[in-house]
Amino acid sequence: MEDDTMTDFETLRDAYKNKTLTIYLGAGVSMGSGLPSWDALVLAMYFKVMDQQRLGRWRPYPNYLLAIAEWQLNHLHEPLEISARKIRRHFQGKEEKFRDSMWETLYEGFQPPEGTEFRPPDCSYLRNGNPTLQSIVELCTSRPEGKVKSVVTYNYDSLLESALNDIPHKPIWTADGRPSVSQIPVYHVHGYVPFDKKEGSAPEDIVFTEDQYNRVASDPYSWANLVQIHCMSSSVGLMIGLSLSDRNMRRLFDAVRSTPIATQHFALLQRPQWNVPDDTELDRIHKNAKDYLEKFERSGVKRSPGEKGPNWRHEIAGILQEVQSRGTEQEEQVLFELGIEPIWYDKHSEIPGKLRKIYE
Protein backbone atom coordinates (compact mmCIF):
# COMPACT_ATOMS: atom_id res chain seq x y z
CA MET A 1 0.00 0.00 0.00
CA GLU A 2 1.35 3.45 -0.92
CA ASP A 3 1.80 5.90 1.90
CA ASP A 4 -0.10 8.89 0.54
CA THR A 5 -2.70 7.59 -1.88
CA MET A 6 -4.73 10.33 -3.52
CA THR A 7 -7.90 8.54 -2.45
CA ASP A 8 -7.00 8.83 1.24
CA PHE A 9 -6.46 12.57 1.14
CA GLU A 10 -9.38 13.19 -1.22
CA THR A 11 -11.61 11.47 1.33
CA LEU A 12 -10.15 13.56 4.16
CA ARG A 13 -10.42 16.79 2.14
CA ASP A 14 -14.04 16.05 1.23
CA ALA A 15 -14.88 15.36 4.87
CA TYR A 16 -13.20 18.62 5.88
CA LYS A 17 -15.15 20.57 3.26
CA ASN A 18 -18.41 18.88 4.30
CA LYS A 19 -17.67 19.49 8.00
CA THR A 20 -17.76 15.75 8.72
CA LEU A 21 -14.16 15.27 9.87
CA THR A 22 -13.37 14.24 13.45
CA ILE A 23 -9.78 14.19 14.67
CA TYR A 24 -8.65 11.89 17.49
CA LEU A 25 -5.62 13.03 19.48
CA GLY A 26 -3.22 11.00 21.58
CA ALA A 27 -0.18 11.56 23.78
CA GLY A 28 2.11 11.96 20.76
CA VAL A 29 0.66 15.44 20.18
CA SER A 30 1.28 16.69 23.74
CA MET A 31 4.71 15.08 23.98
CA GLY A 32 5.83 17.49 21.27
CA SER A 33 5.46 20.24 23.89
CA GLY A 34 7.39 18.34 26.53
CA LEU A 35 4.44 16.76 28.35
CA PRO A 36 4.88 13.16 29.52
CA SER A 37 3.21 10.10 28.06
CA TRP A 38 0.80 8.28 30.39
CA ASP A 39 3.57 5.82 31.25
CA ALA A 40 6.04 8.55 32.16
CA LEU A 41 3.32 10.49 34.00
CA VAL A 42 2.57 7.51 36.24
CA LEU A 43 6.23 6.93 37.06
CA ALA A 44 6.96 10.61 37.67
CA MET A 45 3.98 10.84 40.04
CA TYR A 46 5.14 7.63 41.69
CA PHE A 47 8.59 9.11 42.34
CA LYS A 48 7.07 12.27 43.78
CA VAL A 49 4.50 10.75 46.11
CA MET A 50 5.73 7.24 46.91
CA ASP A 51 9.52 7.58 47.04
CA GLN A 52 9.70 10.94 48.80
CA GLN A 53 11.21 9.54 51.97
CA ARG A 54 13.79 7.46 50.13
CA LEU A 55 14.72 10.39 47.90
CA GLY A 56 15.40 12.33 51.08
CA ARG A 57 17.08 15.62 50.25
CA TRP A 58 17.09 14.95 46.50
CA ARG A 59 14.65 17.10 44.53
CA PRO A 60 15.19 16.58 40.79
CA TYR A 61 14.50 19.38 38.35
CA PRO A 62 11.43 18.78 36.15
CA ASN A 63 13.48 17.75 33.12
CA TYR A 64 15.46 15.26 35.22
CA LEU A 65 12.30 13.94 36.85
CA LEU A 66 10.83 13.02 33.46
CA ALA A 67 14.13 11.72 32.10
CA ILE A 68 14.58 9.49 35.16
CA ALA A 69 10.97 8.30 34.78
CA GLU A 70 11.63 7.33 31.15
CA TRP A 71 14.79 5.45 32.15
CA GLN A 72 12.89 3.65 34.89
CA LEU A 73 10.18 2.79 32.35
CA ASN A 74 12.73 0.83 30.32
CA HIS A 75 13.99 -1.03 33.39
CA LEU A 76 10.73 -1.52 35.26
CA HIS A 77 9.62 -4.94 36.45
CA GLU A 78 6.40 -3.83 38.14
CA PRO A 79 3.41 -3.33 35.79
CA LEU A 80 2.48 0.33 35.46
CA GLU A 81 -1.12 -0.49 36.37
CA ILE A 82 0.13 -1.54 39.81
CA SER A 83 2.10 1.70 40.22
CA ALA A 84 -1.00 3.70 39.23
CA ARG A 85 -3.08 1.88 41.85
CA LYS A 86 -0.46 2.61 44.49
CA ILE A 87 -0.68 6.30 43.64
CA ARG A 88 -4.48 6.32 43.94
CA ARG A 89 -4.27 4.42 47.22
CA HIS A 90 -1.76 6.97 48.50
CA PHE A 91 -4.29 9.74 47.82
CA GLN A 92 -7.31 7.85 49.11
CA GLY A 93 -9.49 10.36 50.93
CA LYS A 94 -7.35 13.20 49.53
CA GLU A 95 -8.77 13.36 45.99
CA GLU A 96 -8.01 17.04 45.42
CA LYS A 97 -4.37 16.42 46.30
CA PHE A 98 -4.30 13.64 43.68
CA ARG A 99 -5.55 16.07 41.06
CA ASP A 100 -3.03 18.71 42.19
CA SER A 101 -0.20 16.17 41.93
CA MET A 102 -1.29 15.21 38.41
CA TRP A 103 -1.54 18.88 37.42
CA GLU A 104 1.96 19.62 38.75
CA THR A 105 3.48 16.59 37.00
CA LEU A 106 1.72 17.24 33.69
CA TYR A 107 2.88 20.83 33.54
CA GLU A 108 6.32 20.47 35.17
CA GLY A 109 7.99 22.00 32.13
CA PHE A 110 5.80 25.12 32.33
CA GLN A 111 6.39 25.81 36.03
CA PRO A 112 7.85 29.28 36.70
CA PRO A 113 10.78 29.96 39.04
CA GLU A 114 9.98 29.44 42.70
CA GLY A 115 8.03 32.32 44.16
CA THR A 116 6.66 33.38 40.76
CA GLU A 117 2.98 33.12 39.90
CA PHE A 118 2.08 30.44 37.35
CA ARG A 119 0.67 31.70 34.06
CA PRO A 120 -0.60 29.54 31.20
CA PRO A 121 1.74 29.65 28.19
CA ASP A 122 0.93 32.02 25.37
CA CYS A 123 -0.81 30.40 22.40
CA SER A 124 1.87 31.56 19.95
CA TYR A 125 4.53 30.00 22.20
CA LEU A 126 2.72 26.65 22.11
CA ARG A 127 2.16 26.78 18.36
CA ASN A 128 5.72 27.77 17.51
CA GLY A 129 7.21 25.12 19.78
CA ASN A 130 5.09 22.23 18.50
CA PRO A 131 4.63 22.07 14.69
CA THR A 132 2.14 19.20 14.95
CA LEU A 133 -0.02 21.18 17.37
CA GLN A 134 0.24 24.18 15.06
CA SER A 135 -0.99 22.14 12.10
CA ILE A 136 -3.91 20.80 14.18
CA VAL A 137 -4.83 24.41 15.06
CA GLU A 138 -4.75 25.23 11.34
CA LEU A 139 -7.02 22.27 10.70
CA CYS A 140 -9.44 23.55 13.37
CA THR A 141 -9.46 27.10 11.97
CA SER A 142 -12.85 27.79 10.43
CA ARG A 143 -12.65 28.57 6.73
CA PRO A 144 -15.32 29.10 4.07
CA GLU A 145 -14.10 25.89 2.41
CA GLY A 146 -14.11 23.68 5.49
CA LYS A 147 -14.19 23.01 9.21
CA VAL A 148 -13.46 20.19 11.64
CA LYS A 149 -16.66 18.71 13.07
CA SER A 150 -15.23 17.64 16.43
CA VAL A 151 -12.12 16.62 18.34
CA VAL A 152 -11.86 13.54 20.57
CA THR A 153 -8.78 13.64 22.78
CA TYR A 154 -7.43 10.96 25.08
CA ASN A 155 -5.14 13.51 26.76
CA TYR A 156 -5.80 15.14 30.12
CA ASP A 157 -4.13 18.43 29.27
CA SER A 158 -5.44 21.67 27.77
CA LEU A 159 -2.63 22.33 25.28
CA LEU A 160 -5.00 22.28 22.32
CA GLU A 161 -7.47 24.62 24.00
CA SER A 162 -4.69 27.08 24.86
CA ALA A 163 -3.27 26.88 21.34
CA LEU A 164 -6.72 27.39 19.77
CA ASN A 165 -7.09 30.58 21.82
CA ASP A 166 -9.80 32.69 20.12
CA ILE A 167 -10.82 30.02 17.59
CA PRO A 168 -14.36 29.07 18.73
CA HIS A 169 -14.18 25.81 20.66
CA LYS A 170 -15.48 24.22 23.84
CA PRO A 171 -13.74 21.63 26.00
CA ILE A 172 -16.22 18.99 27.18
CA TRP A 173 -15.51 16.43 29.89
CA THR A 174 -18.98 15.54 31.20
CA ALA A 175 -22.38 14.70 29.75
CA ASP A 176 -23.52 18.22 30.66
CA GLY A 177 -21.21 19.91 28.16
CA ARG A 178 -22.96 21.45 25.17
CA PRO A 179 -21.11 23.36 22.43
CA SER A 180 -22.78 26.11 20.41
CA VAL A 181 -23.18 25.75 16.66
CA SER A 182 -20.08 27.88 16.03
CA GLN A 183 -17.87 26.02 18.51
CA ILE A 184 -15.75 22.93 17.85
CA PRO A 185 -16.36 20.45 20.68
CA VAL A 186 -13.17 19.04 22.21
CA TYR A 187 -14.19 15.87 24.05
CA HIS A 188 -11.84 14.75 26.84
CA VAL A 189 -13.00 11.16 27.23
CA HIS A 190 -10.43 10.17 29.89
CA GLY A 191 -10.74 13.35 31.94
CA TYR A 192 -9.64 16.96 31.80
CA VAL A 193 -6.90 18.60 33.86
CA PRO A 194 -6.45 22.04 32.27
CA PHE A 195 -4.02 24.86 33.02
CA ASP A 196 -6.89 26.63 34.80
CA LYS A 197 -7.30 24.67 38.03
CA LYS A 198 -10.83 26.04 38.50
CA GLU A 199 -12.08 23.96 35.57
CA GLY A 200 -11.85 20.32 34.63
CA SER A 201 -12.86 16.88 35.80
CA ALA A 202 -13.57 15.95 39.37
CA PRO A 203 -10.69 13.78 40.67
CA GLU A 204 -12.85 10.65 40.73
CA ASP A 205 -13.79 11.14 37.05
CA ILE A 206 -10.18 11.10 35.81
CA VAL A 207 -9.54 7.70 34.23
CA PHE A 208 -6.14 6.88 35.66
CA THR A 209 -6.10 3.28 36.93
CA GLU A 210 -6.90 -0.01 35.26
CA ASP A 211 -10.03 -0.58 37.34
CA GLN A 212 -11.37 2.88 36.41
CA TYR A 213 -10.63 2.18 32.75
CA ASN A 214 -12.37 -1.21 32.92
CA ARG A 215 -15.47 0.30 34.56
CA VAL A 216 -15.80 2.88 31.79
CA ALA A 217 -15.09 0.34 29.04
CA SER A 218 -17.68 -2.13 30.36
CA ASP A 219 -20.47 0.46 30.61
CA PRO A 220 -22.06 0.80 27.15
CA TYR A 221 -23.96 3.88 28.31
CA SER A 222 -21.03 5.75 29.81
CA TRP A 223 -20.69 9.27 28.50
CA ALA A 224 -17.20 8.58 27.11
CA ASN A 225 -18.32 5.52 25.14
CA LEU A 226 -21.42 7.22 23.74
CA VAL A 227 -19.38 10.21 22.56
CA GLN A 228 -16.82 8.01 20.84
CA ILE A 229 -19.43 5.80 19.18
CA HIS A 230 -21.31 8.85 17.94
CA CYS A 231 -18.17 10.38 16.42
CA MET A 232 -16.95 7.08 14.96
CA SER A 233 -20.29 6.36 13.32
CA SER A 234 -21.19 9.82 12.05
CA SER A 235 -17.95 11.24 10.64
CA VAL A 236 -14.70 10.46 8.88
CA GLY A 237 -11.94 10.04 11.45
CA LEU A 238 -8.25 10.94 11.49
CA MET A 239 -6.03 9.75 14.37
CA ILE A 240 -2.95 11.79 15.27
CA GLY A 241 -0.40 10.91 17.95
CA LEU A 242 -2.18 7.69 18.84
CA SER A 243 -0.57 4.26 19.01
CA LEU A 244 -4.01 2.56 18.86
CA SER A 245 -3.05 0.47 21.88
CA ASP A 246 -6.20 1.54 23.75
CA ARG A 247 -8.24 -1.66 24.08
CA ASN A 248 -11.56 0.13 24.50
CA MET A 249 -10.97 2.34 21.47
CA ARG A 250 -10.27 -0.72 19.31
CA ARG A 251 -13.37 -2.44 20.71
CA LEU A 252 -15.55 0.55 19.81
CA PHE A 253 -14.13 0.74 16.28
CA ASP A 254 -14.77 -2.98 15.93
CA ALA A 255 -18.37 -2.52 17.08
CA VAL A 256 -18.98 0.35 14.64
CA ARG A 257 -17.34 -1.66 11.86
CA SER A 258 -19.88 -4.47 12.34
CA THR A 259 -22.86 -2.14 11.79
CA PRO A 260 -24.33 -1.16 8.40
CA ILE A 261 -22.98 2.38 8.92
CA ALA A 262 -20.29 3.10 6.35
CA THR A 263 -17.60 5.32 7.88
CA GLN A 264 -13.95 5.72 6.96
CA HIS A 265 -11.11 6.26 9.39
CA PHE A 266 -7.40 6.96 8.96
CA ALA A 267 -4.44 6.92 11.32
CA LEU A 268 -1.14 8.75 10.97
CA LEU A 269 1.38 6.17 12.14
CA GLN A 270 5.15 6.12 12.26
CA ARG A 271 6.56 3.37 10.10
CA PRO A 272 8.20 0.70 12.29
CA GLN A 273 11.93 1.32 12.34
CA TRP A 274 14.19 -1.61 11.47
CA ASN A 275 17.12 -1.46 13.84
CA VAL A 276 19.92 -3.55 12.38
CA PRO A 277 21.42 -5.61 15.21
CA ASP A 278 25.14 -5.17 15.65
CA ASP A 279 27.63 -8.05 15.81
CA THR A 280 27.48 -8.13 19.62
CA GLU A 281 23.72 -8.69 19.55
CA LEU A 282 24.01 -11.29 16.79
CA ASP A 283 26.72 -13.07 18.77
CA ARG A 284 24.45 -13.11 21.82
CA ILE A 285 21.62 -14.68 19.79
CA HIS A 286 24.07 -17.23 18.38
CA LYS A 287 25.33 -18.14 21.87
CA ASN A 288 21.76 -18.56 23.14
CA ALA A 289 21.01 -20.82 20.18
CA LYS A 290 24.04 -23.00 21.08
CA ASP A 291 22.84 -23.14 24.70
CA TYR A 292 19.42 -24.31 23.53
CA LEU A 293 21.07 -26.95 21.35
CA GLU A 294 22.88 -28.34 24.39
CA LYS A 295 19.62 -28.38 26.37
CA PHE A 296 17.84 -30.21 23.55
CA GLU A 297 20.55 -32.86 23.35
CA ARG A 298 20.72 -33.32 27.13
CA SER A 299 16.96 -33.69 27.42
CA GLY A 300 16.81 -36.49 24.86
CA VAL A 301 13.40 -35.22 23.82
CA LYS A 302 14.50 -33.54 20.64
CA ARG A 303 17.65 -33.56 18.57
CA SER A 304 18.68 -30.46 16.64
CA PRO A 305 20.34 -30.55 13.21
CA GLY A 306 23.21 -28.56 14.72
CA GLU A 307 24.74 -25.14 14.37
CA LYS A 308 24.37 -22.71 11.50
CA GLY A 309 27.10 -22.44 8.91
CA PRO A 310 29.72 -19.71 8.62
CA ASN A 311 27.11 -17.16 7.44
CA TRP A 312 25.01 -17.45 10.59
CA ARG A 313 25.16 -13.70 11.31
CA HIS A 314 23.72 -12.89 7.89
CA GLU A 315 21.02 -15.55 8.31
CA ILE A 316 19.96 -14.34 11.78
CA ALA A 317 19.78 -10.71 10.61
CA GLY A 318 17.73 -11.80 7.57
CA ILE A 319 15.27 -13.72 9.74
CA LEU A 320 14.82 -10.75 12.08
CA GLN A 321 14.25 -8.37 9.18
CA GLU A 322 11.68 -10.71 7.63
CA VAL A 323 9.84 -11.03 10.96
CA GLN A 324 9.64 -7.23 11.26
CA SER A 325 8.42 -6.88 7.69
CA ARG A 326 5.72 -9.51 8.21
CA GLY A 327 4.77 -7.79 11.48
CA THR A 328 4.10 -4.51 9.66
CA GLU A 329 1.92 -6.29 7.09
CA GLN A 330 -0.04 -7.99 9.86
CA GLU A 331 -0.47 -4.67 11.67
CA GLU A 332 -1.99 -3.18 8.51
CA GLN A 333 -4.39 -6.12 8.21
CA VAL A 334 -5.54 -5.71 11.82
CA LEU A 335 -6.15 -1.99 11.22
CA PHE A 336 -8.10 -2.73 8.04
CA GLU A 337 -10.30 -5.13 10.00
CA LEU A 338 -11.09 -2.27 12.39
CA GLY A 339 -11.96 -0.01 9.46
CA ILE A 340 -8.78 2.08 9.86
CA GLU A 341 -6.39 2.83 7.01
CA PRO A 342 -2.82 3.68 8.06
CA ILE A 343 -1.03 6.67 6.58
CA TRP A 344 2.64 5.94 7.24
CA TYR A 345 5.41 8.42 7.89
CA ASP A 346 9.06 7.98 8.84
CA LYS A 347 9.68 11.07 11.01
CA HIS A 348 7.29 13.03 13.21
CA SER A 349 8.35 16.19 11.37
CA GLU A 350 6.39 14.91 8.35
CA ILE A 351 3.01 15.18 10.13
CA PRO A 352 2.38 18.92 9.52
CA GLY A 353 2.95 18.50 5.80
CA LYS A 354 0.47 15.64 5.63
CA LEU A 355 -2.17 17.62 7.53
CA ARG A 356 -1.71 20.58 5.19
CA LYS A 357 -2.83 18.33 2.34
CA ILE A 358 -6.27 18.35 3.96
CA TYR A 359 -6.88 22.08 4.45
CA GLU A 360 -4.69 23.81 1.88
Side-chain angles (χ1 to χ4, degrees):
M1 174 181 173
E2 292 184 7
D3 297 343
D4 291 358
T5 63
M6 289 300 295
T7 304
D8 291 349
F9 283 94
E10 284 173 4
T11 300
L12 290 167
R13 278 195 295 270
D14 287 344
Y16 181 71
K17 290 177 182 178
N18 295 326
K19 302 177 177 61
T20 58
L21 176 65
T22 292
I23 55 177
Y24 300 81
L25 305 182
V29 175
S30 297
M31 288 168 67
S33 294
L35 268 67
S37 64
W38 180 83
D39 297 352
L41 172 68
V42 169
L43 286 175
M45 289 181 68
Y46 184 84
F47 288 155
K48 290 174 72 173
V49 303
M50 304 298 288
D51 285 353
Q52 195 168 23
Q53 290 183 343
R54 277 190 290 167
L55 285 175
R57 63 188 176 86
W58 301 108
R59 292 294 180 269
Y61 289 118
N63 55 321
Y64 278 97
L65 180 68
L66 296 180
I68 292 169
E70 287 186 0
W71 181 91
Q72 179 73 0
L73 183 61
N74 294 325
H75 298 79
L76 187 69
H77 300 294
E78 178 180 87
L80 282 171
E81 289 79 6
I82 301 299
S83 301
R85 286 185 184 234
K86 287 181 178 179
I87 294 169
R88 287 312 303 248
R89 190 183 305 119
H90 175 85
F91 286 109
Q92 194 167 11
K94 301 176 287 187
E95 294 299 317
E96 287 300 327
K97 289 188 176 180
F98 164 75
R99 191 178 186 277
D100 288 345
S101 178
M102 176 179 280
W103 185 92
E104 291 170 3
T105 310
L106 269 177
Y107 301 121
E108 284 278 10
F110 295 100
Q111 298 295 335
E114 191 171 348
T116 308
E117 183 182 355
F118 174 84
R119 297 191 179 201
D122 180 78
C123 69
S124 60
Y125 170 83
L126 288 173
R127 294 178 187 179
N128 294 335
N130 187 337
T132 295
L133 185 62
Q134 166 66 26
S135 60
I136 291 170
V137 169
E138 288 293 330
L139 196 59
C140 291
T141 302
S142 181
R143 297 177 176 85
E145 67 273 17
K147 183 182 177 182
V148 167
K149 179 181 179 182
S150 55
V151 177
V152 175
T153 177
Y154 298 86
N155 300 330
Y156 305 121
D157 62 76
S158 60
L159 286 189
L160 176 62
E161 285 83 356
S162 295
L164 287 172
N165 195 20
D166 56 355
I167 297 171
H169 68 281
K170 184 176 179 62
I172 300 174
W173 60 92
T174 67
D176 299 329
R178 294 285 187 276
S180 68
V181 175
S182 63
Q183 292 175 318
I184 297 174
V186 182
Y187 298 108
H188 288 262
V189 294
H190 285 171
Y192 187 42
V193 184
F195 284 117
D196 185 353
K197 288 186 176 183
K198 297 177 182 177
E199 290 191 330
S201 300
E204 62 272 15
D205 293 332
I206 298 170
V207 180
F208 185 73
T209 60
E210 187 178 31
D211 60 318
Q212 289 176 302
Y213 176 90
N214 290 336
R215 278 200 301 273
V216 172
S218 62
D219 181 2
Y221 299 107
S222 73
W223 168 81
N225 284 340
L226 292 176
V227 163
Q228 291 176 84
I229 289 173
H230 171 72
C231 292
M232 291 173 182
S233 60
S234 64
S235 57
V236 173
L238 175 62
M239 280 140 270
I240 308 168
L242 279 163
S243 64
L244 299 178
S245 60
D246 187 310
R247 301 189 307 276
N248 189 44
M249 185 183 188
R250 294 198 306 270
R251 182 180 65 84
L252 294 176
F253 269 115
D254 209 21
V256 170
R257 178 71 167 170
S258 63
T259 68
I261 303 168
T263 53
Q264 289 181 280
H265 303 282
F266 304 88
L268 282 168
L269 295 172
Q270 186 173 31
R271 193 190 309 278
Q273 303 297 310
W274 161 239
N275 297 316
V276 181
D278 59 25
D279 286 351
T280 301
E281 293 172 302
L282 293 173
D283 289 347
R284 188 179 300 117
I285 294 172
H286 183 56
K287 180 182 180 304
N288 289 342
K290 292 171 67 176
D291 291 343
Y292 274 114
L293 173 59
E294 292 177 4
K295 290 178 183 178
F296 291 157
E297 292 179 340
R298 284 199 306 269
S299 70
V301 175
K302 178 180 179 181
R303 294 192 62 80
S304 170
E307 294 186 29
K308 287 285 185 184
N311 294 324
W312 54 266
R313 279 182 182 155
H314 175 73
E315 291 184 29
I316 292 173
I319 291 170
L320 289 173
Q321 188 168 11
E322 186 64 25
V323 167
Q324 291 218 359
S325 175
R326 294 290 176 89
T328 302
E329 293 174 7
Q330 291 173 349
E331 182 180 355
E332 282 192 343
Q333 289 304 315
V334 169
L335 291 173
F336 290 149
E337 290 172 6
L338 293 172
I340 301 171
E341 292 191 35
I343 299 175
W344 298 107
Y345 63 86
D346 292 310
K347 298 179 180 178
H348 295 307
S349 58
E350 299 172 27
I351 293 178
K354 292 185 181 295
L355 293 181
R356 282 194 293 271
K357 293 183 179 182
I358 300 172
Y359 61 79
E360 285 188 347

